[in-house]
Amino acid sequence: MAVLIGTRDGVYRTATVPVDDVEQVLDSGDVPRVQTFPEVDGVFAATKTGLYRSMDDGRTWEGLGVPQEEVYSVVASPDGERLYAGTHPAHLYVSTDRGETWHELEGFQELPSRDEWHTPRHRNEAHVRSLGVHPETPDRVIAGVEVGGVHVSDDQGETWTERRDGVHDDVHHVHVYGADEYIASCGDGLYRTRDAGQSWTRLDTDLAHRYFREAFTFNGRLYAAAARSSPGTWSGDTGADAILVDSTDFGETFEAVLYPGGPAEVILAWTQIDGNVVAGTNEGRLLSRDADGTWTDAGQVPAGIRSLAE
């Protein structure tokens, strides 16, 4: 077993959590997503210098040649026959030969709101920050755009429908935990849909914190972390003023957890390892939740963590 850690400086690898020894295995710059898929061999790293794949638990990597260099998201179809990659600027590509060749899903560019997908902080452009599929709806692809909302295709990405009404358009991650049930983590709020995005319910109305980056579910519990505002405010004595919350009823009610991080520290990534929930922070720290619910320090990597995969 190896744990792969996507950071601001590339991918790091460790054999154990808590971390005993860690090594950098991919010098790719920023890694928004490192991910494995049950139906596809290897581990994938979506980075700002390309999409990479490792077939030996992260020891060595090969570039997969996605037409746009900056790759923010990747997902595989349930049968493993199709691999999707989302990029900056916001384009979507598919490969039907395990990453050997790619073609653009041009229908994604035909969405009515496409001209609105831009923000000054992202060079007046946007990116496909999140991609998801669910085994019960194998032809459906769910895309979250920063900044541009949530969009759904039911024909393997050929045509698309906007599902952005009722959800904030600054979408950082869409957690697909059911065929029609998703949690969207946004720059202003945490949202849930139970009808594939046709309607959304805001979950954080009782919280003072509004900036969410990623949600995670494990053993019937929903985990999320939030800061009061965007990363530009994460400094000084109060810093991010982050909170960690979890929910046993998938967001109907949240329980605040004593936050284990420092004043400028925010959880940005989640995974589970050997039955324990593991989180990674913007300051490069791993945190582990024990069986009794206690969060403990699980080690440090040299750069801010962006994504995790076992």
Side-chain angles (χ1 to χ4, degrees):
M1 181 203 78
V3 179
L4 284 306
I5 305 166
T7 76
R8 290 283 185 184
D9 292 337
V11 178
Y12 288 79
R13 183 180 187 274
T14 181
T16 61
V17 174
V19 172
D20 181 45
D21 188 27
V22 64
E23 63 173 329
Q24 186 173 15
V25 290
L26 179 63
D27 183 11
S28 62
D30 199 8
V31 185
R33 187 64 51 188
V34 58
Q35 202 157 353
T36 59
F37 306 104
E39 58 280 354
V40 179
D41 291 336
V43 58
F44 296 84
T47 85
K48 290 190 178 180
T49 57
L51 179 65
Y52 298 85
R53 176 176 56 200
S54 172
M55 300 296 286
D56 55 6
D57 286 334
R59 294 178 180 86
T60 61
W61 298 80
E62 62 171 337
L64 295 185
V66 175
Q68 296 280 350
E69 181 182 35
E70 297 184 44
V71 182
Y72 273 72
S73 53
V74 59
V75 75
S77 62
D79 60 7
E81 296 301 316
R82 297 168 71 84
L83 191 65
Y84 301 91
T87 70
H88 179 109
H91 292 264
L92 189 58
Y93 297 88
V94 65
S95 173
T96 55
D97 53 14
R98 305 298 177 96
E100 296 295 323
T101 60
W102 299 86
H103 77 265
E104 184 172 1
L105 293 167
E106 296 180 354
F108 192 66
Q109 300 300 315
E110 298 172 2
L111 282 160
S113 64
R114 179 63 183 89
D115 290 343
E116 302 173 24
W117 301 357
H118 55 82
T119 178
R121 70 179 180 275
H122 297 310
R123 290 164 278 166
N124 288 315
E125 295 173 319
H127 37 253
V128 184
R129 183 69 176 262
S130 177
L131 288 171
V133 297
H134 192 274
E136 295 179 21
T137 51
D139 293 336
R140 180 181 294 166
V141 185
I142 303 97
V145 178
E146 182 187 21
V147 170
V150 178
H151 310 279
V152 173
S153 169
D154 283 310
D155 56 7
Q156 300 180 331
E158 296 298 324
T159 62
W160 290 81
T161 303
E162 297 193 343
R163 300 291 167 84
R164 64 201 297 258
D165 289 345
V167 64
H168 194 259
D169 61 358
D170 186 11
V171 179
H172 298 143
H173 182 250
V174 182
H175 175 49
V176 179
Y177 68 93
D180 299 315
E181 297 180 285
Y182 322 142
I183 299 286
S185 299
C186 303
D188 187 10
L190 188 70
Y191 300 79
R192 178 182 59 217
T193 179
R194 289 179 167 148
D195 53 15
Q198 297 185 69
S199 63
W200 295 89
T201 300
R202 188 161 183 172
L203 301 180
D204 62 316
T205 53
D206 292 332
L207 303 176
H209 297 64
R210 294 290 184 260
Y211 184 90
F212 290 81
R213 285 286 283 270
E214 184 170 324
F216 179 70
T217 53
F218 182 66
N219 283 348
R221 187 182 293 266
L222 168 67
Y223 299 87
R228 283 193 182 272
S229 189
S230 59
T233 67
W234 298 354
S235 61
D237 293 337
T238 56
D241 185 31
I243 61 166
L244 167 61
V245 293
D246 62 23
S247 172
T248 56
D249 50 19
F250 285 84
E252 296 293 339
T253 57
F254 281 110
E255 179 182 353
V257 178
L258 181 62
Y259 196 73
E265 197 166 10
V266 184
I267 291 173
L268 303 183
W270 304 89
T271 191
Q272 72 84 22
I273 300 170
D274 295 332
N276 290 333
V277 175
V278 175
T281 79
N282 62 311
E283 294 195 339
R285 193 151 61 104
L286 290 169
L287 305 167
S288 178
R289 184 182 187 273
D290 297 333
D292 64 359
T294 301
W295 287 90
T296 58
D297 195 317
Q300 187 80 29
V301 297
I305 297 172
R306 300 269 273 153
S307 50
L308 294 167
E310 182 183 9

